[in-house]
Amino acid sequence: MRESSEFSSGLRSGIVPALSAAPFGMLFGAVSVTQGQSVFETALMSLTIFAGASQLVGVELFGQRVAPWLIIASIVAVNFRHVLYSAALTPVIAHFSLPKKLIAFFLMTDPQFAEALKRHEEEERVTFSWYLGAGLVLYVLWNIMTLIGATLGGFIKNPEALGLDILLPIYFLSLVMGFRKRPNYLPIVAASALGSILAYATVGSPWHVSIGALAGILLAALLPPGKTKEAAQ
């Protein structure tokens, strides 16, 4: 009964982030088909990789016929933040068995990480049932929207012209805003943004994603720990 309740709680925790990410899933499906992938290839990519932004980077590069190593390096650059996520999440799920940890890391996305960390900071135990419930909502809806986008993608010749490409930055901005009450939020966000802008101007995309993240992490490590607003009240 307890496991069922935790799973249901996870489903409820995951529904809002899943709905927020859903348009981006459809965008990926549409862009993928536009770049020459079939509906099957697009759906298979979402089912097996399930990596959001790096999927979009991958299909964009597939269409440009660049060297395979550059595609792999670009995807690693975009997904490097998941190494940092894993390091932060490991203590939270230390009580998971190895198979459960493997499932947890496969399902780990930006919103999944944010929701798990939020639950942990609220001093609620992150159980596997809760984690699985939240992750499955995101996984299932993401793949449904990918399939819809891929099916309708042939009717959308230029997603950027419709402004659909703005969905990704809006989505990530909402995740960043979710941490606004944490200590040292503003200087860390400013350092990350500045590092990303400088990297974009000098090194280029997609390396600015990882370099911006590293800039923020470096400053966070240097700054003294502070109290959350809730703790200070």
Side-chain angles (χ1 to χ4, degrees), residues 81-105:
R81 69 189 189 284
H82 284 256
V83 176
L84 308 175
Y85 287 171
S86 300
L89 194 62
T90 295
V92 177
I93 61 172
H95 53 287
F96 288 8
S97 65
L98 180 58
K100 290 179 177 178
K101 283 180 181 174
L102 293 177
I103 294 172
F105 287 131

Side-chain angles (χ1 to χ4, degrees), residues 38-50 55 143 146:
S38 67
V39 173
F40 174 76
E41 290 168 339
T42 300
L44 185 63
M45 188 175 185
S46 267
L47 285 167
T48 55
I49 298 179
F50 187 46
Q55 289 182 228
N143 279 285
T146 293

Side-chain angles (χ1 to χ4, degrees), residues 39-150:
V39 173
F40 174 76
E41 290 168 339
T42 300
L44 185 63
M45 188 175 185
S46 267
L47 285 167
T48 55
I49 298 179
F50 187 46
S54 64
Q55 289 182 228
L56 195 57
V57 170
V59 295
E60 291 276 6
L61 293 177
F62 291 160
Q64 298 177 25
R65 297 182 180 180
V66 300
W69 71 267
L70 184 57
I71 296 176
I72 295 173
S74 299
I75 290 175
V76 169
V78 173
N79 263 358
F80 181 75
R81 69 189 189 284
H82 284 256
V83 176
L84 308 175
Y85 287 171
S86 300
L89 194 62
T90 295
V92 177
I93 61 172
H95 53 287
F96 288 8
S97 65
L98 180 58
K100 290 179 177 178
K101 283 180 181 174
L102 293 177
I103 294 172
F105 287 131
F106 173 75
L107 291 174
M108 189 179 67
T109 56
D110 300 282
Q112 179 81 7
F113 169 76
E115 288 297 321
L117 206 61
K118 177 184 173 184
R119 184 176 175 90
H120 175 68
E121 291 180 347
E122 291 173 349
E123 299 184 350
E124 289 190 65
R125 184 177 173 84
V126 178
T127 63
F128 180 71
S129 295
W130 176 88
Y131 191 99
L132 186 64
L136 282 180
V137 174
L138 285 156
Y139 182 76
V140 171
L141 192 56
W142 172 268
N143 279 285
I144 289 174
M145 297 307 291
T146 293
L147 187 59
I148 293 174

